[in-house]
Amino acid sequence: SRRIVAEADADIELVDRVGDDPAGIETVLARASRADVVVFTGGVSAGAYEPVRLALSDRIAFERVAMQPGKPQAFGVLPDGRLVFGLPGNPVSVAVSFEVFVRPALLALQGRAVLDRRIARLTASEAWTTPPGRRQYLPAAVDLVAGTVRPATAGGSGSHLAASLARAEAFAVVPAEVSAVSVGDALDVMLIP
């Protein structure tokens, strides 16, 4: 997490863990009073013990986004002007959600004109299935010389597959209306360092 924040030219003010008690969320907000942006990971779903949702549901929006991974999301602006993001807790979901939502916000706050990662149009060298009705951000390996992209690991595309994230050089972005990627399909690919 420190690496992806540093790549957005941002500084980390505080890293803390919170249990299932919503009071812990308030403690973190108080301790991070100098931060411009607060990012929570986990605790944003619809379960019974979701501390971010329990503590902040009256102040920020909790939505289901049509993407995989990263369906549950939260966002809002506190009265003091701090932006608050609530990301899902799984590691791949956090990485994708950070790239799609948090990183562009951090760059916008810095006055940057370019907010998004570089996108390459590459051809799938392997086939895989995608979740119906959700834009997929698949951790991927790329061969820029050959112009190809493939899943970073075998074994699926679940948000819990942290090993795929460790091997990823990019995220293959598959539109929501596509149910399967075939060898030879052209895809937009978000390149990450």
Side-chain angles (χ1 to χ4, degrees):
S1 65
R2 291 187 186 277
R3 179 184 60 85
I4 62 175
V5 172
E7 286 174 358
D9 289 331
D11 297 319
I12 295 176
E13 181 76 24
L14 170 71
V15 175
D16 206 348
R17 289 182 180 259
V18 177
D20 287 338
D21 182 1
I25 300 301
E26 298 300 336
T27 300
V28 167
L29 288 174
R31 291 184 62 211
S33 63
R34 294 182 27 207
D36 297 314
V37 177
V38 178
V39 179
F40 292 101
T41 60
V44 299
S45 295
Y49 300 103
E50 302 293 341
V52 176
R53 180 182 284 276
L54 292 170
L56 299 176
S57 63
D58 61 336
R59 289 178 271 175
I60 66 174
F62 289 80
E63 301 291 337
R64 292 175 158 249
V65 179
M67 63 186 262
Q68 190 268 338
K71 190 174 183 178
Q73 297 286 332
F75 175 74
V77 181
L78 297 178
D80 62 13
R82 286 182 290 171
L83 302 182
V84 177
F85 290 89
L87 311 181
N90 291 316
V92 180
S93 297
V94 170
V96 168
S97 299
F98 186 91
E99 288 293 335
V100 173
F101 300 115
V102 181
R103 184 178 186 277
L106 292 173
L107 296 178
L109 287 171
Q110 297 169 32
R112 304 281 188 88
V114 177
L115 305 180
D116 298 316
R117 295 275 193 190
R118 190 166 58 107
I119 301 290
R121 189 79 171 163
L122 302 176
T123 302
S125 62
E126 292 182 20
W128 69 88
T129 59
T130 66
R134 293 166 67 189
R135 176 181 284 182
Q136 182 185 49
Y137 291 84
L138 181 76
V142 297
D143 183 335
L144 295 176
V145 174
T148 60
V149 61
R150 64 174 177 77
T153 59
S157 61
S159 59
H160 62 286
L161 296 176
S164 67
L165 185 59
R167 294 184 180 95
E169 304 164 307
F171 293 110
V173 183
V174 184
E177 64 274 9
V178 173
S179 60
V181 173
S182 299
V183 172
D185 286 354
L187 296 169
D188 285 340
V189 178
M190 179 192 306
L191 303 175
I192 55 176

